[in-house]
Coordinates of all heavy atoms in Angstrom, one line a residue:
Y62 N 87.7 122.6 122.3 CA 87.9 123.8 123.0 C 87.1 125.0 122.4 O 86.9 125.1 121.3 CB 89.3 124.2 123.2 CG 90.1 123.2 123.9 CD1 91.0 122.4 123.1 CD2 90.0 122.8 125.2 CE1 91.8 121.4 123.6 CE2 90.7 121.8 125.8 CZ 91.7 121.1 125.0 OH 92.4 120.2 125.7
S63 N 86.5 125.9 123.3 CA 85.8 127.1 122.8 C 86.8 128.2 122.4 O 88.0 128.1 122.9 CB 84.9 127.5 123.8 OG 85.4 127.8 125.0
S64 N 86.4 129.0 121.4 CA 87.3 130.1 121.1 C 86.4 131.3 120.9 O 85.2 131.3 120.9 CB 87.9 129.8 119.7 OG 86.9 129.6 118.7
S65 N 87.1 132.4 120.8 CA 86.5 133.7 120.7 C 86.1 134.2 119.4 O 85.3 135.2 119.3 CB 87.5 134.8 121.3 OG 88.7 134.8 120.5
G66 N 86.7 133.7 118.3 CA 86.5 134.4 117.1 C 87.7 135.5 116.9 O 88.5 135.6 117.7
S67 N 87.6 136.2 115.9 CA 88.5 137.3 115.6 C 88.6 138.2 116.8 O 87.6 138.9 117.3 CB 88.2 138.0 114.3 OG 89.1 139.1 114.1
V68 N 89.8 138.6 117.2 CA 90.1 139.5 118.3 C 90.8 140.8 118.1 O 90.7 141.7 118.9 CB 90.8 138.7 119.5 CG1 89.9 137.6 120.1 CG2 92.1 138.3 119.1
Y69 N 91.5 140.9 116.9 CA 92.2 142.1 116.5 C 91.6 142.5 115.2 O 91.4 141.7 114.4 CB 93.6 141.9 116.5 CG 94.3 141.7 117.9 CD1 94.9 140.3 118.0 CD2 94.4 142.5 118.8 CE1 95.5 140.0 119.2 CE2 95.0 142.2 120.0 CZ 95.6 140.9 120.1 OH 96.2 140.6 121.3
L70 N 91.5 143.9 115.1 CA 91.1 144.4 113.8 C 92.2 144.2 112.7 O 93.4 144.2 113.0 CB 90.9 145.9 113.9 CG 89.6 146.4 114.7 CD1 89.6 147.8 114.8 CD2 88.3 145.8 114.0
G71 N 91.8 144.0 111.4 CA 92.7 143.8 110.4 C 93.6 145.1 110.1 O 92.9 146.2 110.4
R72 N 94.7 145.0 109.4 CA 95.4 146.2 109.0 C 95.0 146.6 107.6 O 94.8 145.8 106.7 CB 96.9 145.9 108.9 CG 97.6 145.4 110.2 CD 97.8 146.5 111.2 NE 98.5 147.5 110.7 CZ 98.6 148.7 111.2 NH1 98.0 149.0 112.2 NH2 99.4 149.6 110.7
P73 N 94.5 147.9 107.5 CA 94.0 148.3 106.3 C 95.0 148.6 105.1 O 94.7 148.5 104.0 CB 93.3 149.7 106.6 CG 94.0 150.1 107.7 CD 94.4 148.9 108.5
S74 N 96.2 148.8 105.5 CA 97.2 149.2 104.5 C 97.8 147.9 103.9 O 98.2 146.9 104.5 CB 98.3 149.9 105.2 OG 99.5 150.1 104.3
S75 N 97.9 147.9 102.5 CA 98.4 146.6 101.9 C 99.9 146.4 102.1 O 100.4 145.4 101.8 CB 98.0 146.7 100.3 OG 98.6 147.8 99.8
N76 N 100.6 147.5 102.4 CA 102.1 147.4 102.6 C 102.5 147.0 104.0 O 103.7 147.1 104.3 CB 102.8 148.6 101.9 CG 102.5 149.9 102.7 OD1 101.6 149.8 103.6 ND2 103.0 150.9 102.4
S77 N 101.6 146.9 104.9 CA 101.9 146.6 106.2 C 101.5 145.1 106.5 O 100.7 144.6 105.8 CB 101.2 147.5 107.3 OG 99.8 147.4 107.1
P78 N 102.2 144.5 107.4 CA 101.8 143.0 107.7 C 100.5 142.9 108.3 O 100.0 143.7 108.9 CB 102.8 142.7 108.7 CG 103.5 143.9 109.3 CD 103.2 144.9 108.3
S79 N 99.8 141.8 107.9 CA 98.6 141.5 108.5 C 98.5 141.4 109.9 O 99.5 140.9 110.5 CB 97.9 140.3 107.7 OG 98.6 139.1 108.1
T80 N 97.3 141.6 110.5 CA 97.2 141.3 111.9 C 97.5 139.9 112.3 O 98.3 139.6 113.3 CB 95.7 141.7 112.3 OG1 95.5 143.0 112.1 CG2 95.5 141.5 113.8
S81 N 96.9 139.0 111.5 CA 97.2 137.6 111.8 C 98.7 137.1 111.7 O 99.1 136.4 112.4 CB 96.3 136.7 110.9 OG 96.6 136.8 109.5
K82 N 99.4 137.7 110.8 CA 100.8 137.5 110.6 C 101.6 137.9 111.9 O 102.5 137.3 112.4 CB 101.4 138.0 109.4 CG 101.1 137.2 108.1 CD 101.9 137.8 106.9 CE 101.4 137.0 105.7 NZ 102.0 137.5 104.5
M83 N 101.2 139.1 112.3 CA 101.9 139.8 113.4 C 101.5 139.0 114.7 O 102.5 138.6 115.5 CB 101.4 141.2 113.7 CG 102.0 142.1 112.6 SD 101.6 143.8 112.9 CE 99.8 143.8 112.5
A84 N 100.3 138.6 114.9 CA 99.9 137.8 116.0 C 100.5 136.4 116.0 O 100.8 135.8 117.1 CB 98.4 137.8 116.2
Y85 N 100.6 135.9 114.8 CA 101.3 134.6 114.7 C 102.5 134.3 115.3 O 102.9 133.3 115.8 CB 101.3 134.1 113.2 CG 101.7 132.7 112.9 CD1 101.0 131.7 113.1 CD2 103.1 132.5 112.5 CE1 101.4 130.4 113.0 CE2 103.5 131.2 112.5 CZ 102.7 130.2 112.6 OH 103.2 128.8 112.4
W86 N 103.3 135.4 115.4 CA 104.7 135.3 116.0 C 104.5 134.9 117.5 O 105.5 134.4 118.0 CB 105.3 136.6 116.0 CG 105.5 137.2 114.6 CD1 105.7 136.5 113.4 CD2 105.7 138.6 114.2 NE1 106.0 137.3 112.4 CE2 106.0 138.7 112.8 CE3 105.7 139.7 115.0 CZ2 106.1 139.8 112.2 CZ3 105.8 140.9 114.3 CH2 106.1 141.0 112.9
Y87 N 103.3 135.0 118.0 CA 103.1 134.9 119.4 C 102.1 133.7 119.7 O 101.4 133.6 120.7 CB 102.8 136.1 120.1 CG 103.8 137.1 119.8 CD1 103.5 138.1 118.9 CD2 105.1 137.0 120.5 CE1 104.5 139.1 118.8 CE2 106.1 137.8 120.1 CZ 105.8 138.9 119.4 OH 106.8 139.8 119.1
T88 N 101.9 132.7 118.7 CA 101.0 131.7 118.9 C 101.3 130.9 120.1 O 100.4 130.2 120.7 CB 100.7 130.9 117.7 OG1 102.0 130.3 117.3 CG2 100.1 131.8 116.6
S89 N 102.5 130.9 120.6 CA 102.8 130.0 121.8 C 102.4 130.7 123.1 O 102.5 130.2 124.2 CB 104.3 129.7 121.8 OG 105.1 130.9 121.9
Q90 N 102.0 131.9 123.0 CA 101.6 132.7 124.2 C 100.4 132.3 124.9 O 99.3 132.1 124.2 CB 101.4 134.3 123.7 CG 101.0 135.1 124.9 CD 102.2 135.4 125.7 OE1 103.3 135.7 125.2 NE2 102.0 135.4 127.1
Q91 N 100.6 131.9 126.1 CA 99.4 131.4 126.9 C 99.4 132.0 128.2 O 100.5 132.1 128.9 CB 99.5 129.8 127.0 CG 98.3 129.3 127.8 CD 98.2 127.8 127.6 OE1 98.5 127.2 126.7 NE2 97.5 127.1 128.7
I92 N 98.3 132.4 128.7 CA 98.2 133.0 130.1 C 97.0 132.1 130.8 O 96.0 132.0 130.2 CB 97.8 134.5 130.1 CG1 98.8 135.3 129.4 CG2 97.6 134.9 131.6 CD1 100.1 135.4 129.9
G93 N 97.4 131.4 131.8 CA 96.4 130.5 132.5 C 96.0 129.5 131.4 O 96.8 128.8 130.8
N94 N 94.7 129.5 131.1 CA 94.2 128.5 130.1 C 93.7 129.3 128.8 O 93.0 128.7 128.1 CB 93.0 127.6 130.7 CG 93.6 126.6 131.7 OD1 94.5 125.9 131.3 ND2 92.9 126.5 132.8
A95 N 94.1 130.4 128.7 CA 93.8 131.1 127.4 C 95.0 131.3 126.6 O 96.1 131.5 127.1 CB 93.2 132.6 127.6
A96 N 94.9 131.1 125.3 CA 96.1 131.1 124.4 C 95.6 131.5 122.9 O 94.5 131.5 122.6 CB 96.6 129.6 124.3
I97 N 96.6 132.1 122.3 CA 96.4 132.5 120.8 C 96.5 131.2 120.1 O 97.5 130.5 120.2 CB 97.3 133.5 120.4 CG1 97.3 134.8 121.3 CG2 97.3 133.8 118.8 CD1 96.0 135.6 120.9
N98 N 95.6 130.9 119.2 CA 95.7 129.6 118.5 C 96.6 129.6 117.2 O 97.1 130.8 116.9 CB 94.3 129.1 118.1 CG 93.7 129.7 116.8 OD1 94.1 130.8 116.4 ND2 92.8 129.0 116.2
E99 N 96.7 128.6 116.6 CA 97.7 128.5 115.4 C 97.2 129.4 114.2 O 98.1 129.8 113.4 CB 97.9 127.1 115.0 CG 96.6 126.5 114.3 CD 95.7 125.8 115.3 OE1 96.0 125.9 116.6 OE2 94.7 125.4 114.9
R100 N 96.0 129.9 114.2 CA 95.5 130.8 113.2 C 95.8 132.2 113.6 O 95.6 133.1 112.7 CB 94.1 130.6 112.8 CG 93.9 129.2 112.1 CD 92.4 129.1 111.9 NE 92.2 127.8 111.4 CZ 91.6 127.5 110.3 NH1 91.2 128.4 109.5 NH2 91.4 126.2 109.9
A101 N 96.2 132.5 114.7 CA 96.7 133.6 115.3 C 95.7 134.6 115.8 O 95.8 135.0 117.0 CB 97.6 134.4 114.4
N102 N 94.7 135.0 115.1 CA 93.8 136.0 115.5 C 92.7 135.5 116.4 O 91.6 136.2 116.4 CB 93.4 136.9 114.3 CG 92.8 138.2 114.7 OD1 93.1 138.8 115.8 ND2 92.0 138.8 113.7
V103 N 92.8 134.5 117.0 CA 91.7 133.9 117.8 C 92.2 133.5 119.1 O 93.3 132.8 119.2 CB 91.2 132.7 117.0 CG1 90.1 131.9 117.8 CG2 90.5 133.1 115.7
V104 N 91.6 133.6 120.3 CA 91.8 133.2 121.6 C 91.1 132.0 121.8 O 89.9 131.8 121.6 CB 91.5 134.3 122.7 CG1 91.7 133.7 124.0 CG2 92.4 135.5 122.4
V105 N 91.9 130.9 122.3 CA 91.3 129.6 122.6 C 91.2 129.4 124.1 O 92.2 129.8 124.7 CB 92.0 128.5 122.0 CG1 91.5 127.2 122.3 CG2 92.2 128.6 120.4
N106 N 90.1 128.9 124.5 CA 89.9 128.6 125.9 C 90.4 127.1 126.1 O 89.7 126.2 125.6 CB 88.5 128.7 126.4 CG 88.3 128.2 127.9 OD1 89.1 127.7 128.5 ND2 87.1 128.7 128.4
N107 N 91.6 126.9 126.6 CA 92.1 125.5 126.9 C 91.6 124.8 128.1 O 92.4 124.1 128.8 CB 93.6 125.5 126.8 CG 94.2 125.8 125.5 OD1 93.6 125.4 124.5 ND2 95.3 126.5 125.4
D108 N 90.4 125.0 128.5 CA 89.8 124.3 129.7 C 89.8 125.3 130.8 O 90.7 125.6 131.6 CB 90.5 123.1 130.1 CG 89.7 122.3 131.1 OD1 88.5 122.4 131.2 OD2 90.4 121.7 131.9
N109 N 88.6 126.0 131.0 CA 88.4 126.9 132.2 C 89.3 128.2 132.2 O 89.6 128.6 133.3 CB 88.5 126.1 133.4 CG 87.5 125.1 133.7 OD1 86.3 125.2 133.3 ND2 88.0 123.9 134.1
A110 N 89.5 128.7 131.1 CA 90.2 130.0 131.1 C 89.3 131.1 131.7 O 88.0 131.1 131.5 CB 90.6 130.4 129.7
T111 N 89.8 132.0 132.5 CA 89.1 133.0 133.1 C 89.0 134.3 132.2 O 89.9 134.4 131.2 CB 89.7 133.4 134.5 OG1 90.9 134.1 134.2 CG2 89.7 132.3 135.4
A112 N 88.2 135.2 132.5 CA 88.2 136.5 131.7 C 89.5 137.2 131.8 O 90.0 137.8 130.9 CB 87.0 137.4 132.1
A113 N 90.0 137.1 133.0 CA 91.4 137.8 133.3 C 92.5 137.0 132.5 O 93.4 137.8 131.9 CB 91.7 137.7 134.8
D114 N 92.4 135.8 132.2 CA 93.4 135.1 131.4 C 93.3 135.6 129.9 O 94.3 135.9 129.3 CB 93.1 133.6 131.4 CG 93.3 132.8 132.7 OD1 94.1 133.4 133.5 OD2 92.8 131.8 132.8
V115 N 92.1 135.7 129.5 CA 91.8 136.1 128.1 C 92.3 137.7 127.9 O 93.0 137.9 127.0 CB 90.4 136.0 127.7 CG1 90.0 136.7 126.3 CG2 89.9 134.6 127.7
K116 N 91.9 138.4 128.8 CA 92.3 139.9 128.8 C 93.9 140.0 128.8 O 94.4 140.8 128.0 CB 91.8 140.6 130.0 CG 92.0 142.1 130.0 CD 91.3 142.8 131.0 CE 91.6 144.3 131.1 NZ 90.9 144.9 132.3
E117 N 94.5 139.2 129.7 CA 96.0 139.3 129.8 C 96.7 138.8 128.5 O 97.7 139.3 128.0 CB 96.5 138.5 131.0 CG 98.0 138.8 131.3 CD 98.4 140.2 131.5 OE1 97.6 141.1 131.9 OE2 99.7 140.5 131.3
V118 N 96.2 137.7 128.0 CA 96.8 137.1 126.6 C 96.7 138.1 125.5 O 97.7 138.3 124.7 CB 96.3 135.7 126.4 CG1 95.0 135.7 125.6 CG2 97.4 135.1 125.6
L119 N 95.6 138.8 125.4 CA 95.5 139.8 124.4 C 96.3 140.9 124.6 O 97.0 141.5 123.7 CB 94.0 140.4 124.4 CG 92.9 139.4 123.9 CD1 91.5 140.0 124.1 CD2 93.1 139.0 122.6
H120 N 96.5 141.3 125.9 CA 97.4 142.4 126.2 C 98.8 142.1 125.9 O 99.6 142.9 125.3 CB 97.3 142.8 127.7 CG 98.3 143.8 128.3 ND1 98.2 145.2 127.9 CD2 99.5 143.5 129.0 CE1 99.3 145.7 128.5 NE2 100.1 144.8 129.1
Q121 N 99.3 140.9 126.3 CA 100.7 140.5 126.1 C 101.0 140.3 124.6 O 102.0 140.8 124.2 CB 101.0 139.2 126.8 CG 100.9 139.3 128.3 CD 102.1 140.2 128.7 OE1 103.1 140.2 128.3 NE2 101.7 141.1 129.9
V122 N 100.1 139.8 123.8 CA 100.4 139.6 122.4 C 100.4 141.0 121.7 O 101.5 141.4 121.0 CB 99.3 138.7 121.7 CG1 99.4 138.9 120.2 CG2 99.4 137.4 122.1
A123 N 99.5 141.9 122.0 CA 99.7 143.2 121.5 C 100.8 144.0 122.0 O 101.5 144.7 121.1 CB 98.3 144.1 121.9
K124 N 101.2 143.8 123.2 CA 102.5 144.4 123.7 C 103.7 144.0 122.9 O 104.5 144.8 122.5 CB 102.6 144.3 125.2 CG 103.8 144.8 125.8 CD 103.8 144.4 127.3 CE 105.2 144.8 127.9 NZ 105.3 144.4 129.2
K125 N 103.8 142.7 122.7 CA 105.0 142.1 122.1 C 105.0 142.5 120.6 O 106.1 142.8 120.1 CB 105.1 140.6 122.2 CG 105.3 140.1 123.5 CD 105.4 138.7 123.8 CE 105.8 138.3 125.2 NZ 106.0 136.9 125.4
V126 N 103.9 142.5 119.9 CA 103.8 143.1 118.5 C 104.3 144.5 118.5 O 105.1 144.8 117.5 CB 102.4 142.8 117.9 CG1 102.4 143.5 116.6 CG2 102.1 141.4 117.7
Y127 N 103.8 145.3 119.4 CA 104.3 146.8 119.3 C 105.8 146.9 119.7 O 106.4 147.7 119.0 CB 103.4 147.5 120.4 CG 103.7 148.9 120.3 CD1 103.3 149.9 119.3 CD2 104.6 149.5 121.4 CE1 103.7 151.2 119.4 CE2 104.9 150.9 121.3 CZ 104.6 151.7 120.3 OH 104.9 153.0 120.3
E128 N 106.3 146.1 120.5 CA 107.6 146.2 120.9 C 108.5 145.7 119.8 O 109.6 146.2 119.6 CB 108.0 145.4 122.2 CG 107.4 145.9 123.5 CD 107.6 145.0 124.6 OE1 107.8 143.8 124.5 OE2 107.3 145.5 125.8
T129 N 108.1 144.8 119.0 CA 109.0 144.3 118.0 C 108.8 144.9 116.6 O 109.7 144.9 115.7 CB 108.8 142.8 117.8 OG1 107.4 142.4 117.6 CG2 109.2 142.0 119.0
S130 N 107.5 145.5 116.4 CA 107.3 146.0 115.0 C 106.8 147.6 115.1 O 106.9 148.2 114.2 CB 106.3 145.3 114.4 OG 105.0 145.4 115.1
G131 N 106.5 148.0 116.3 CA 106.0 149.4 116.3 C 104.6 149.5 115.9 O 104.0 150.7 115.8
I132 N 103.9 148.4 115.6 CA 102.4 148.4 115.1 C 101.5 148.1 116.3 O 101.8 147.2 117.1 CB 102.4 147.4 114.0 CG1 103.1 147.9 112.8 CG2 100.9 147.3 113.7 CD1 103.2 146.8 111.7
H133 N 100.6 149.0 116.5 CA 99.6 148.8 117.5 C 98.4 147.9 117.1 O 97.8 148.3 116.0 CB 99.1 150.2 118.0 CG 98.0 150.1 119.0 ND1 98.1 149.8 120.3 CD2 96.6 150.4 118.8 CE1 97.0 149.8 120.9 NE2 96.1 150.1 120.0
L134 N 98.2 146.8 117.7 CA 97.1 146.0 117.3 C 96.0 146.5 118.1 O 95.9 146.7 119.3 CB 97.3 144.4 117.8 CG 98.4 143.6 117.1 CD1 98.5 142.3 117.7 CD2 98.3 143.7 115.6
E135 N 94.9 146.8 117.3 CA 93.6 147.3 117.9 C 92.6 146.2 118.1 O 92.3 145.3 117.2 CB 93.0 148.4 117.0 CG 91.8 149.0 117.6 CD 91.3 150.2 116.7 OE1 92.0 150.6 115.8 OE2 90.2 150.7 116.9
P136 N 92.2 146.1 119.4 CA 91.2 144.8 119.7 C 89.9 145.2 118.8 O 89.4 146.2 118.6 CB 90.9 145.1 121.2 CG 92.0 145.9 121.7 CD 92.5 146.8 120.5
E137 N 89.4 144.0 118.3 CA 88.2 144.0 117.7 C 87.0 143.9 118.8 O 85.9 144.2 118.5 CB 88.1 142.8 116.7 CG 86.8 142.9 115.8 CD 86.9 142.0 114.7 OE1 88.1 141.6 114.2 OE2 85.9 141.6 114.1
V138 N 87.4 143.3 119.9 CA 86.4 143.0 120.9 C 86.4 144.1 121.9 O 87.5 144.8 122.1 CB 86.8 141.7 121.6 CG1 86.6 140.5 120.7 CG2 88.2 141.7 122.2
R139 N 85.4 144.4 122.6 CA 85.3 145.5 123.6 C 85.5 144.7 125.0 O 84.8 143.8 125.4 CB 83.9 146.2 123.5 CG 83.8 146.9 122.3 CD 82.6 147.8 122.3 NE 82.7 148.8 123.1 CZ 81.8 149.7 123.5 NH1 80.7 149.6 123.0 NH2 82.1 150.7 124.4
I140 N 86.4 145.3 125.7 CA 86.7 144.8 127.0 C 86.3 145.8 128.0 O 86.8 147.0 128.0 CB 88.2 144.3 127.2 CG1 88.6 143.3 126.1 CG2 88.5 143.9 128.5 CD1 89.9 143.0 126.0
W141 N 85.5 145.5 129.0 CA 85.1 146.4 130.1 C 85.0 145.7 131.4 O 85.2 144.5 131.6 CB 83.7 147.0 129.7 CG 82.8 146.2 129.1 CD1 82.6 146.1 127.6 CD2 81.8 145.4 129.6 NE1 81.6 145.2 127.4 CE2 81.0 144.8 128.6 CE3 81.4 145.1 130.9 CZ2 80.0 143.9 128.7 CZ3 80.3 144.1 131.1 CH2 79.6 143.6 130.1

């Protein structure tokens, strides 16, 4: 399957959880055919994912991390 590479910026503070650890909580998150993989900070195309699938899975993971930790995940990718 194809993947995106890193999708969220890392956390600069050493006393805050890493981006990948925060996103890892949601590795089961899948929208359409786009999912966060087991390494966490990567979106995987599980066969014909649409751009809307990828955009929504990124949004849902960031939303859940913010709701549970108060930490805003900043996208490393530009979405337009």
